[in-house]
Amino acid sequence: MSAPTGLDKPPADTAPAKRPAGGVLSYLTGQLSQIGLFIALIVIVVFFQITTDGITLKPINISNLIIQNSYILILAVGMVMVIIAGHIDLSVGSVVAFIGALAGVMITKWDLPWPVAVVLCLVAGALVGAWQGYWIAYFGIPAFIVTLGGMLAFRGAAQIVLDNKQIAPFPQGFRDLGSGFLPTFGSSGYEPLTMILGVLAALALVGSAFRQRRERRKYDLEDEPIWWFVAKQAFAVALILLVTVQLASYDGTPIVLVILGVLVVGYTAVMSRAVFGRHVYAIGGNLSAAQLSGVKAKSVTFWLFVNMGVISALAGLVYTAGLNLANPSAGNGFELDAISAVFIGGAAVTGGIGTIPGAIIGGLIIGILNNGMSILGVGTEWQQLIKGLVLLAAVAFDFYNKRRRASV
């Protein structure tokens, strides 16, 4: 990747360089990664909707799908930032278990109010991230090695804290973090609060997209045809409204969906508009050039892992609350699902490319695969095989796109 210049402008992933006019086909060919992601999501949903006799898009299943995959989607938000910077974090599953263990002890053994325990657990997650980030950023030890050590160390720490036993139950307020719903209004029809939140989310998405398009045009970086821009927004709005109507006809809005929505909106803004996010893209694209441009790579890397620690702690709290159980074996394989979500969502293995929404879509693809195959009674061995092939196909597609662009 060429040396980043003009770090005050939007990152390359969210604002592609202007291409010479080559017609509609030329533009769409250049957007194969994004187009393929949306097509894959649609095909998977339609396939399981047909093969499960309509169960996939039933309100109760959509609600369960969101709740059951929320912790993976939360982890994907932090993981995509780490991978964009050219690093990886293998410890997140163990950190989920460790934080869940701490929450269990604080709430059930020490009798701390659950809101206080939540804050302390998030602080503990930040300390975990700071510990790993220090070795990676300032000692120069590869993130793979440091977080591999963290994966083993924090798994052991979770077992020590719980004395290899499970702890349950938790107060209802804490459990609502993982499995509760916002208050409902009305006794029949569609729940109004959910409908209002869905419409507001759709309007906010469209408004943000138009602002970003105007910003790209301001820097003469916009080459997206207006018809394609409108088609993308129409698809996104239709998807949001579909989910909204289904949730409103069931129990309303899951609390964890609100948490996830805040994370996605906040971190998307950070990565696309804040200096920190632009520096993350610069480091992943070309570390040497970024340093020569004045980017404090060590500081950015350190805070990236602090952030990853906090997000892992949040995922641990949500998972423990939803399960109503602190378990020393919790979080097994979560790091693999989070990493898979990021790569399926279009992030580059070499860093410098990726988006928060892309990681969320990647996580949804994994979640829908898990959900659909479980409904169809597919064995876990076949589920693992299929998910592995999907991940390989996503990475192979990324490499194909790079080679194609290089040959143009």
Side-chain angles (χ1 to χ4, degrees), residues 14 53 126 132 135 150 167-168 199 216 225 252 299 312 317 326 336 364 372 385 395:
T14 55
D53 295 326
Q132 297 192 127
W135 294 107
I167 293 181
V199 171
R216 290 193 297 267
S299 176
S312 299
L317 291 168
L336 301 181
L364 288 175
L385 173 63
V395 175

Side-chain angles (χ1 to χ4, degrees), residues 301-326:
T301 299
F302 174 79
W303 287 108
L304 261 181
F305 279 90
V306 171
N307 178 71
M308 188 72 248
V310 173
I311 288 182
S312 299
L314 179 59
L317 291 168
V318 166
Y319 180 75
T320 303
L323 205 60
N324 193 26
L325 178 73

Side-chain angles (χ1 to χ4, degrees), residues 373 379-392:
M373 289 189 291
T380 56
E381 67 279 6
W382 285 100
Q383 291 188 31
Q384 296 295 327
L385 173 63
I386 292 171
K387 287 194 294 183
L389 292 176
V390 169
L391 174 60
L392 179 60

Side-chain angles (χ1 to χ4, degrees), residues 64-74 363 366-368 370:
N64 290 337
L65 186 65
I66 293 170
I67 292 173
Q68 292 169 4
N69 291 279
S70 57
Y71 47 89
I72 296 300
L73 298 177
I74 290 171
I366 292 176
I368 294 169
N370 287 335

